[in-house]
Amino acid sequence: MPLLDLTPRPRGATAASTHPVVVIGAGPVGLAAAAHLLERSIDTIVFEAGESAGAAVRSWGHVALFSPWRYLVDPAAGRLLAPTGWLAPDPDEVPTGADVVTRYLEPLAQTAALSPRITMGARVVAVTRLGRDRTRSDGRGDAPFVVRVRRATGEVESVLARAVIDASGTLDTPNPIGGDGLPPLGLDEVGSFVLPPLPDVLGRDRARLAGRSVAVVGTGHSAAHTLLALAELSEGAPGTRAVWVRRRPPLRPSTADDLPERERLGSRLDALVDAGVVEVRDGFLIERVSSAGDGVRVSGVTADAPASFDVDLVVAATGFRPDLTITRELRLDLDEVSEAPRRLAPLIDPNLHSCGTVAPHGFAELRHPEPGFFTVGMKSYGRAPTFLLATGYEQVRSVAAWLAGDLAAAQAVVLDLPATGVCSTDRADAGGCCA
């Protein structure tokens, strides 16, 4: 791999630098990016596909996070909020997603500095270079980005940018439940029986799930949350049955974990499995889903033989993957396994570990061959499930420093993360990630 040219371009050095920096997404990391850019007097525009700040977080607002508030408030965002009379939450309190939106993201988006720079209901559908598709090289680094935006009204426009920070996340692109990474055969016919990740079992979706048999596919924390909620629902709604479909061994909590809520989640689920409240189907790779009366038949293979079972509903809790369609005309350097930026990928490779603690990293690990384009936040992790918000905040602090020409600050990357000794494998050769 060639050596990186880490030297920032002097501000005003090209025509492109007269345009604002576009941030995609008004979630926690996107708003933090905007706060850091504004703190460095860099003109900024934020496009958010939803109708409010933190729209993606709001969709799973019923779920409690693992991290307490001390890891959830970006420093630059906190400095923007301080003059407004905003009261910082108790740093040791563990909030729900809804708490994060109402007590942090909404007040942040409403600050005088940020509010006029955020456009809601504006989905970025493509990013390219002015006058250049991905094949054209001449003058590429000096040409501004073209950010194609579709508004809620259906109107489509193009906005020029000196740089683009993609903090759009991955919630809109869940992994398929098929064992081979593809949607299972028959999904088009019974898709209404397959629910997206993190349904609000005890709230919004209660009526649909009560008294039903529900297969939850996945071994991560989203699956665990849903299974625990279904077990609680079954106490007041007879006939509610939870089936845990596991393609691989589940997460194994460690006593070294500084996030005790994560350890408690695994322990509670283990107890329900041991008590028979949650039925387990291990090593089950789904190949097909089909209609079965008023429900769905799930068919696939195990280590022993083909197998199938019938349930009323299926919840897809198999994680997420990045949507790369909007960057088709850009030159990205992505890891072939995780689809994360290639220099970041070794730090987060899910085949080796899924520890929350990663080595400090910033703009240098997030760079692509396309100068001025950065993928940050959950999307920067590609398909790896180990992202923590505090990591995203340090990413955008570093990127903003680089865009401001402050190389020393951009390179001085420090992460203050909780020890999260959690692995996604039982293999003896998994290394020391849970030590």
Side-chain angles (χ1 to χ4, degrees):
M1 183 177 296
L3 293 176
L4 279 173
D5 176 11
L6 302 182
T7 307
R9 291 177 178 272
R11 295 176 68 185
T14 68
S17 63
T18 63
H19 300 294
V21 174
V22 166
V23 177
I24 307 175
V29 177
L31 291 182
H36 282 278
L37 291 166
L38 293 178
E39 200 168 59
R40 290 181 171 274
S41 301
I42 297 176
D43 190 19
T44 306
I45 299 174
V46 181
F47 291 118
E48 165 57 44
E51 294 304 316
S52 61
V57 179
R58 188 187 298 276
S59 70
W60 50 265
H62 55 287
V63 177
L65 281 75
F66 296 122
S67 302
W69 277 110
R70 70 173 68 253
Y71 298 112
L72 302 178
V73 177
D74 172 75
R79 291 189 288 270
L80 265 185
L81 283 163
T84 69
W86 176 74
L87 297 177
D90 179 346
D92 295 321
E93 179 188 345
V94 177
T96 64
D99 293 331
V100 172
V101 173
T102 59
R103 298 170 62 186
Y104 173 50
L105 297 181
E106 287 182 341
L108 179 59
Q110 292 164 6
T111 58
L114 275 180
S115 178
R117 300 172 183 276
I118 304 172
T119 302
M120 304 295 181
R123 181 177 294 277
V124 173
V125 295
V127 182
T128 186
R129 290 279 192 180
L130 183 64
R132 291 159 178 82
D133 63 14
R134 68 183 297 160
T135 67
R136 184 175 169 187
S137 299
D138 61 298
R140 188 175 190 87
D142 294 330
F145 289 95
V146 176
V147 181
R148 185 69 57 85
V149 181
R150 178 179 291 115
R151 296 182 180 270
T153 60
E155 177 188 2
V156 179
E157 63 177 311
S158 291
V159 176
L160 299 183
R162 64 170 280 204
V164 176
I165 299 176
D166 184 358
S168 58
T170 59
L171 193 68
D172 288 343
T173 47
N175 287 322
I177 62 173
D180 50 13
L182 300 177
L185 297 171
L187 184 63
D188 290 344
E189 288 72 35
V190 297
S192 60
F193 294 96
V194 181
L195 307 184
L198 292 170
D200 189 356
V201 175
L202 301 174
R204 180 184 62 241
D205 301 309
R206 181 186 182 100
R208 187 175 187 188
L209 295 166
R212 314 296 293 278
S213 57
V214 183
V216 180
V217 185
T219 56
H221 301 116
S222 296
H225 274 293
T226 300
L227 289 161
L228 289 172
L230 286 168
E232 184 175 345
L233 178 61
S234 69
E235 295 175 3
T240 305
R241 171 172 154 252
V243 181
W244 190 6
V245 183
R246 309 196 307 201
R247 297 190 289 190
R248 56 180 61 89
L251 295 172
R252 296 301 185 194
S254 164
T255 55
D257 201 332
D258 281 352
L259 300 178
E261 293 302 317
R262 189 201 313 258
E263 193 279 330
R264 279 194 283 270
L265 183 75
S267 297
R268 291 169 58 201
L269 185 53
D270 286 343
L272 291 172
V273 170
D274 292 343
V277 175
V278 171
E279 176 186 338
V280 174
R281 292 186 175 266
D282 260 332
F284 195 104
L285 302 180
I286 298 175
E287 294 182 336
R288 179 182 294 274
V289 288
S290 55
S291 178
D294 293 330
V296 57
R297 176 161 297 162
V298 180
S299 303
V301 296
T302 66
D304 300 323
S308 65
F309 61 91
D310 294 349
V311 288
D312 296 314
L313 296 166
V314 176
V315 174
T318 47
F320 303 90
R321 59 181 57 179
D323 179 5
L324 302 176
T325 58
I326 68 171
T327 54
R328 188 179 181 92
E329 295 307 319
L330 297 181
R331 298 177 178 181
L332 305 187
D333 186 20
L334 298 175
D335 178 65
E336 60 272 12
V337 175
S338 65
E339 295 183 308
R342 190 173 302 278
R343 296 175 184 88
L344 175 61
L347 306 178
I348 59 173
D349 185 351
N351 283 297
L352 301 177
H353 60 79
S354 62
C355 300
T357 302
V358 299
H361 65 276
F363 84 100
E365 290 80 9
L366 300 169
R367 283 165 55 115
H368 291 285
E370 199 71 68
F373 180 84
F374 297 91
T375 310
V376 300
M378 185 66 207
K379 191 171 184 178
S380 73
Y381 275 44
R383 301 192 187 198
T386 53
F387 177 72
L388 292 175
L389 277 180
T391 305
Y393 295 158
E394 184 62 2
Q395 288 179 344
V396 296
R397 185 209 60 77
S398 174
V399 169
W402 186 85
L403 289 172
D406 188 349
L407 183 59
Q411 291 179 317
V413 182
V414 178
L415 281 177
D416 176 20
L417 295 178
T420 51
V422 180
C423 295
S424 61
T425 179
D426 282 340
R427 293 179 301 134
D429 63 344
C433 73
C434 289

